[in-house]
Amino acid sequence: MPRHSAAVYRRRRLVLLIGLILAVAVIGVSTWLLVARPWAGGEAGPAPTSSATTTPSTTPTDGTGSPVPSPSAEQTPAIVACAAKDIEVTAVTDSDSYQAGVTPQLSISLTNKGSTDCTIDVGSTTQVFTVSSGSDVWWRSTDCQENPSSMIATLAAGTTVTSKDPVVWDRTRSSVETCADENRQRAPGGGSSYHVEVSIGGFTSASTTQILLY
């Protein structure tokens, strides 16, 4: 194999040295552009990361640099129990007067007069109908009640609801001792006046509803 002259080796070393210098210069310019970012308006920001998994932080701050926690299900205000000042309860009857042999059907009207939704137990456990004649209490729906139950419901603000399944007064005098009796004292008719009061969820009707029995 022929040997190259010393001049050839010198030229090769010179070319290699020039290439190395150019490479270093290119790297230096690229690094300055990366850090300074002169094309960006305003102040230069931090150098972008080369990590593909890094994401910008979206945590809001309160103006002092302290992070503000994002809303969560635990922080969402819960619907609170209804307050007496917001609830209006009224006894509802299917008629104002009843002929002999016709039994009154009693229901409940419930109104949320407040500005927010609230919860209330509308189950039979909390419902009490009371029928009186003057100061004489003739009948309570809880005296002979069977299998009472609870049911928590949300009452929307500004709405009125009425119970669907009426409670029947059999026109007799009730007592926990006479629930199984078939000959309980019957309420007088002939146009006698009776007043129906109702309470539900701990709230009692502000007034009574009058009915007449014939």
Side-chain angles (χ1 to χ4, degrees):
M1 175 180 296
R3 295 176 58 84
H4 297 291
S5 66
V8 172
Y9 285 113
R10 285 195 296 271
R11 285 195 298 272
R12 288 181 177 177
R13 286 196 295 269
L14 181 60
V15 170
L16 181 61
L17 179 60
I18 293 172
L20 181 61
I21 293 173
L22 291 175
V24 171
V26 170
I27 293 173
V29 172
S30 298
T31 302
W32 179 83
L33 290 174
L34 183 63
V35 174
R37 294 196 300 172
W39 64 90
E43 291 186 5
T49 177
S50 60
S51 173
T53 58
T54 302
T55 57
S57 173
T58 58
T59 302
T61 62
D62 60 4
T64 62
S66 301
V68 177
S70 300
S72 63
E74 291 76 11
Q75 294 172 320
T76 302
I79 299 178
V80 300
C82 296
K85 64 182 179 61
D86 297 327
I87 298 302
E88 182 178 276
V89 182
T90 306
V92 178
T93 61
D94 60 333
S95 180
D96 296 330
S97 61
Y98 299 87
Q99 298 300 316
V102 180
T103 54
Q105 312 286 305
L106 314 179
S107 301
I108 304 171
S109 173
L110 189 59
T111 301
N112 179 1
K113 301 183 297 181
S115 59
T116 59
D117 299 353
C118 62
T119 60
I120 182 173
D121 189 341
V122 295
S124 57
T125 300
T126 70
Q127 299 179 21
V128 183
F129 287 94
T130 304
V131 179
S132 304
S133 178
S135 60
D136 185 11
V137 176
W138 266 86
W139 182 82
R140 286 191 182 90
S141 59
T142 55
D143 283 347
C144 300
Q145 189 178 50
E146 297 180 357
N147 303 317
S149 61
S150 294
M151 184 176 72
I152 304 299
T154 298
L155 188 58
T159 61
T160 298
V161 295
T162 303
S163 56
K164 292 183 178 180
D165 299 322
V167 174
V168 178
W169 176 35
D170 63 0
R171 298 175 62 146
T172 66
R173 185 183 292 277
S174 71
S175 168
V176 292
E177 291 85 11
T178 61
C179 292
D181 293 356
E182 296 182 358
N183 58 347
R184 293 195 300 188
Q185 181 183 2
R186 298 196 63 81
S192 298
S193 173
Y194 297 85
H195 290 263
V196 183
E197 180 187 78
V198 65
S199 65
I200 182 171
F203 307 112
T204 303
S205 55
S207 60
T208 60
T209 300
Q210 184 181 33
I211 59 174
L212 302 177
L213 298 187
Y214 289 93

